[in-house]
Amino acid sequence: MNKIRTFFTVLFFLTAALITAAPLQIDYYGVVTSSSDLNMSKMAQDIFFTQLNSIDNMKILDKRPDIGSALRSLPDTSSSGNSKVVFYAEISEERIDESNVIWNCRFNAKTPFDGKIYSKQDKYDSYYKILTNAKTSIEELLFPLRQIAAKAPEDAPVTTNPESSFSLESLAGTWAGEPHTDKIVILRGGRGFIIYKNGATMNISLSIVNGKDGKKEILIRQVGKSNASFYPELSRDTALSAAASAPPIEWRLNSTVEGTLTGIKKTLIKSNSSPETVESGTQKVNWIKK
């Protein structure tokens, strides 16, 4: 009997603490997605906003730009050192083969308490399943942050990794430059995706490595299986034959001018000995930030 009484006493005080604590303030920036379906993307943005507002003890400020400009851009969290959490979602598709797609949904929350970006990512076999499971995922991400916020001093400084902020974090955004790509989207945290003009989507990872001359370079690598559509310079038959055993495509880029990346792309190219065969080769590339 005493154990039961103790349990309900603890539960009462935990509930009271949450009710009386100051609301967690959140700036909602919407969704970044590789999907070209504007209606689906807008539906996701609206549903996530509704789900956020349905969670107790949170104050949500809608910071979404108009839907047309929101889909391909990330929120600028570099100046978020105030009392608000910056919240946004990323949705991308991972094509298993020509007919099967897995959807990746990642919820992100950058806190002013410690300058970190907390994330929760799940995979779904349909876009609609993301929407039906949104509230649970959002709550699982944000509930611990309320506890962190309650313990953090009001004047706690934002701490960041200087090299990360200057390098990978500063690259986040939309890029262009290669003739066969529609958009190159770099996300925070060393990830991103490339949308080709032929409709294919490639997931990529980013890291900072040492170059041959000792200077830092940006290494970008294809993530996932190769797809014939990743080689639009080749004929379709040649690309289909070569893609099965192709190594991941890589880029080694340098940033010498703000908003511009230049370097080498390592991919499959036509062989000099025969136009019907391919070999590993390099191409000079320039990426320009939009």
Side-chain angles (χ1 to χ4, degrees):
M1 191 67 178
N2 289 334
K3 289 183 178 179
I4 295 175
R5 186 180 296 111
T6 301
F7 170 78
F8 280 105
T9 301
V10 172
L11 182 62
F12 170 79
F13 281 111
L14 284 175
T15 304
L18 287 175
I19 293 173
T20 57
L24 186 65
Q25 298 187 62
I26 295 177
D27 282 348
Y28 174 61
Y29 280 86
V31 176
V32 180
T33 178
S34 61
S35 173
S36 59
D37 190 328
L38 297 184
N39 291 328
M40 291 291 290
S41 301
K42 186 177 188 307
M43 183 187 301
Q45 297 216 51
D46 293 342
I47 287 178
F48 296 161
F49 183 65
T50 301
Q51 300 289 14
L52 281 168
N53 277 287
S54 68
I55 302 174
D56 292 336
N57 214 36
M58 291 194 183
K59 183 178 180 181
I60 315 300
L61 183 61
D62 192 350
K63 303 284 283 189
R64 289 174 288 174
D66 82 273
I67 187 68
S69 61
L71 296 180
R72 301 290 182 246
S73 61
L74 284 165
D76 180 9
T77 64
S78 60
S79 60
S80 62
N82 51 39
S83 60
K84 297 175 183 177
V85 172
V86 172
F87 181 91
Y88 61 98
E90 301 168 30
I91 300 176
S92 61
E93 57 180 312
E94 181 180 333
R95 188 166 293 279
I96 305 303
D97 52 44
E98 295 298 327
S99 59
N100 294 316
V101 173
I102 291 178
W103 291 93
N104 297 296
C105 180
R106 182 184 181 95
F107 293 107
N108 303 284
K110 180 176 180 180
T111 69
F113 335 120
D114 53 15
K116 295 180 180 179
I117 297 180
Y118 295 84
S119 300
K120 177 171 175 53
Q121 179 169 323
D122 293 294
K123 293 179 179 289
Y124 302 90
D125 56 16
S126 75
Y127 200 98
Y128 283 103
K129 285 189 177 180
I130 298 176
L131 308 182
T132 57
N133 288 276
K135 186 175 181 182
T136 300
S137 298
I138 292 171
E139 287 179 333
E140 290 176 356
L141 172 63
L142 295 180
F143 185 80
L145 299 188
R146 292 194 291 190
Q147 298 173 314
I148 296 173
K151 295 177 182 179
E154 291 185 2
D155 57 350
V158 174
T159 58
T160 59
N161 183 324
E163 181 175 278
S164 175
S165 298
F166 182 74
S167 52
L168 292 184
E169 296 300 302
S170 64
L171 297 176
T174 303
W175 297 73
E178 295 191 37
H180 296 284
T181 62
D182 183 32
K183 288 182 176 64
I184 302 167
V185 180
I186 298 178
L187 308 173
R188 299 185 188 279
R191 296 167 298 106
F193 53 87
I194 298 174
I195 303 174
Y196 287 82
K197 289 181 179 178
N198 59 23
T201 300
M202 176 200 293
N203 290 323
I204 56 175
S205 65
L206 295 87
S207 59
I208 303 299
V209 299
N210 290 320
K212 293 181 180 179
D213 56 359
K215 294 182 179 180
K216 298 293 185 182
E217 290 183 343
I218 304 159
L219 173 62
I220 302 171
R221 285 177 59 89
Q222 167 193 330
V223 175
K225 295 181 180 180
S226 291
N227 186 314
S229 297
F230 297 167
Y231 309 98
E233 302 93 342
L234 305 177
S235 69
R236 185 63 179 176
D237 289 342
T238 302
L240 284 169
S241 175
S245 58
I249 297 173
E250 287 186 0
W251 293 259
R252 280 184 173 264
L253 307 178
N254 294 289
S255 179
T256 54
V257 179
E258 185 176 356
T260 301
L261 299 175
T262 60
I264 298 296
K265 175 183 179 180
K266 186 176 180 180
T267 184
L268 296 180
I269 61 174
K270 293 179 181 178
S271 173
N272 291 327
S273 59
S274 169
E276 301 302 322
T277 59
V278 297
E279 60 186 21
S280 180
T282 59
Q283 301 170 343
K284 291 185 178 180
V285 294
N286 292 285
W287 290 10
I288 300 173
K289 196 169 189 179
K290 290 186 176 181

